[in-house]
Amino acid sequence: MQTGLPQQEEWFLAKYEAYGRMLFRIAMVHLGNKADAEEAVQEAFIKLLYKAPEFGDQEHEKAWIIRVITNLCRNMARSVWNRRVVRMEEMEQYAGSGPDLELLEHVLRLPSKYKIVIHLFYYEDYPVRQIAEILKLRESAVKMRLQRGRQMLLMEWEEDNG
């Protein structure tokens, strides 16, 4: 089927369709506002276009792009310009409302190393082994971060609701 688009544009649109929403959700969890999340996603796709290595398969490519967005978000969050409070009103349209939004508020307050494993495990449905590969950690480190992140969430939840 001929679409009239050059081959590179078709390739890019397919990659954007495959990864765009997931990368945006990851960036929103890290950065907390739409503008910064969109910028991080844009940078991740630029890296995919111009700096990506050869991939063995689609899972390798997906893991690589998740690692890229995670690093970009971490760098953006650390920058002096982006040290600010997460604006939850922007998150409402991506998280729903009520308990889901309240839980997301708690997740967003976690330190970055817990936030990303919680997000990948619970929101993106990655198993511990794949999270370890993506983040270049040992499985035991991922399990520990999940456990500590859950404990932090439980403590905050009980504080707010108990």
Side-chain angles (χ1 to χ4, degrees):
M1 182 173 117
Q2 184 70 0
T3 62
L5 294 174
Q7 190 173 0
Q8 188 174 17
E9 285 182 42
E10 286 181 28
W11 176 88
F12 180 81
L13 289 173
K15 298 303 176 187
Y16 189 81
E17 188 68 30
Y19 306 128
R21 288 178 188 224
M22 175 193 61
L23 295 177
F24 182 76
R25 286 190 308 266
I26 291 170
M28 281 297 291
V29 165
H30 272 283
L31 301 170
N33 71 72
K34 185 179 177 187
D36 289 345
E38 288 173 343
E39 182 179 338
V41 170
Q42 181 179 356
E43 285 296 315
F45 277 108
I46 288 170
K47 288 185 183 292
L48 181 63
L49 271 172
Y50 298 108
K51 296 184 179 187
E54 288 292 320
F55 300 110
D57 58 22
Q58 189 171 359
E59 282 304 309
H60 180 220
E61 180 181 70
K62 189 175 181 181
W64 183 86
I65 195 83
I66 290 171
R67 182 74 180 159
V68 166
I69 195 81
T70 302
N71 288 337
L72 286 167
C73 290
R74 188 175 301 130
N75 291 342
M76 289 174 74
R78 285 182 185 157
S79 79
V80 174
W81 297 103
N82 287 313
R83 292 190 186 265
R84 58 183 181 248
V85 177
V86 173
R87 287 179 251 149
M88 289 308 300
E89 62 273 5
E90 292 184 24
M91 294 301 291
E92 289 176 6
Q93 62 183 316
Y94 306 108
S97 61
D100 290 342
L101 183 59
E102 189 175 345
L103 179 59
L104 184 58
E105 284 181 32
H106 291 294
V107 171
L108 289 171
R109 283 187 246 159
L110 291 173
S112 183
K113 68 182 186 177
Y114 302 120
K115 187 177 357 185
I116 188 61
V117 295
I118 294 283
H119 179 80
L120 289 174
F121 188 79
Y122 289 106
Y123 292 91
E124 301 297 334
D125 295 322
Y126 273 92
V128 169
R129 184 176 59 16
Q130 278 190 294
I131 294 171
E133 290 171 10
I134 290 168
L135 299 178
K136 307 256 189 271
L137 297 169
R138 286 182 276 142
E139 285 184 42
S140 61
V142 171
K143 289 177 185 176
M144 184 58 70
R145 288 180 184 189
L146 280 169
Q147 181 183 1
R148 288 184 179 155
R150 283 188 214 108
Q151 288 171 344
M152 293 169 131
L153 287 171
L154 183 60
M155 286 174 22
E156 274 199 39
W157 190 267
E158 287 174 348
E159 241 176 62
D160 288 354
N161 297 307

